[in-house]
Amino acid sequence: MPKVGMEPLRRDALIRAAIAEVGAAGSLDVTVQQIAKRAGMSPALAHHYFGSKDRIFIAAMRRILDEFGQGVRRRYRTATGPRARISAIVDGCFSPEQFDPATVMAWLTFYVQAHRTPEAARLLSIYARRLDANLVYALRQLTPGPAARRIAEGTAAMIDGFYIRAALDAHTPDPRQAIDLVEEYVTLCLAKEAA
């Protein structure tokens, strides 16, 4: 007889294990057995809860995206004004939960996965649209529309660039330095538009 209330705990353990395994491997080339072992359960139980390795990866991707969204929303609560909202987004991108080496690697492998599976592509598309919309919304309150869109694109590209560098480097760059450089970019762009 199954233990009541264990399913959410086991699903969570499998999702966290998938992120850790992808981070350790640096790719999606991990097995359900590896994920299950890290989670402390059998591969059969992992298949029971998710059905396939791809579904575990999609669930892990959803978790990372949900945690990112929650982190940014938490930062929004103390953000006063559009410039502070931009800072909240940037800070959320480089939070300890998101800029953890395993999570960074998971982000990048999920970008690759988005070229192979429609569900992954859909999730990353939602993330990219939300990031863009939130940046553009705040920036339009500070500068005209075309400039706001251009600055938002540059900001997103810098964020992605730091993730790529973190994944390719033997060590993760200092998140504070990444935040400072992205903030400096936004400030310089806004000053240029105001001049």
Side-chain angles (χ1 to χ4, degrees), residues 25 106 125 145:
S125 175

Side-chain angles (χ1 to χ4, degrees), residues 19 44 53 63 65:
I19 294 167
K53 181 172 79 169
R63 170 69 57 82
L65 292 169

Side-chain angles (χ1 to χ4, degrees), residues 21-153:
E21 284 297 319
V22 166
S27 73
L28 294 173
D29 191 23
V30 299
T31 65
V32 173
Q33 183 173 353
Q34 289 170 298
I35 294 168
K37 182 178 180 182
R38 185 178 285 260
M41 60 189 81
S42 72
L45 204 50
H47 279 289
H48 169 74
Y49 287 125
F50 289 99
S52 71
K53 181 172 79 169
D54 283 346
R55 289 182 155 220
I56 297 172
F57 291 148
I58 292 297
M61 189 177 191
R62 284 182 190 279
R63 170 69 57 82
I64 289 170
L65 292 169
D66 286 346
E67 288 176 353
F68 169 71
Q70 290 169 15
V72 171
R73 284 189 297 277
R74 218 174 19 257
R75 287 165 175 82
Y76 274 172
R77 288 188 205 119
T78 58
T80 55
R83 187 61 183 89
R85 286 180 66 86
I86 296 166
S87 294
I89 295 167
V90 173
D91 191 62
C93 289
F94 298 104
S95 69
E97 306 82 39
Q98 292 298 311
F99 213 55
D100 168 76
T103 306
V104 166
M105 190 56 71
W107 267 103
L108 292 183
T109 54
F110 291 138
Y111 268 84
V112 173
Q113 183 74 355
H115 289 281
R116 297 184 351 204
T117 66
E119 181 65 10
R122 187 182 74 76
L123 289 173
L124 280 175
S125 175
I126 290 168
Y127 156 74
R129 284 194 320 262
R130 284 183 183 162
L131 178 63
D132 181 67
N134 285 314
L135 286 169
V136 169
Y137 175 78
L139 285 162
R140 279 192 174 146
Q141 296 173 59
L142 301 168
T143 192
R149 177 144 311 280
R150 191 177 65 254
I151 296 167
E153 287 175 9

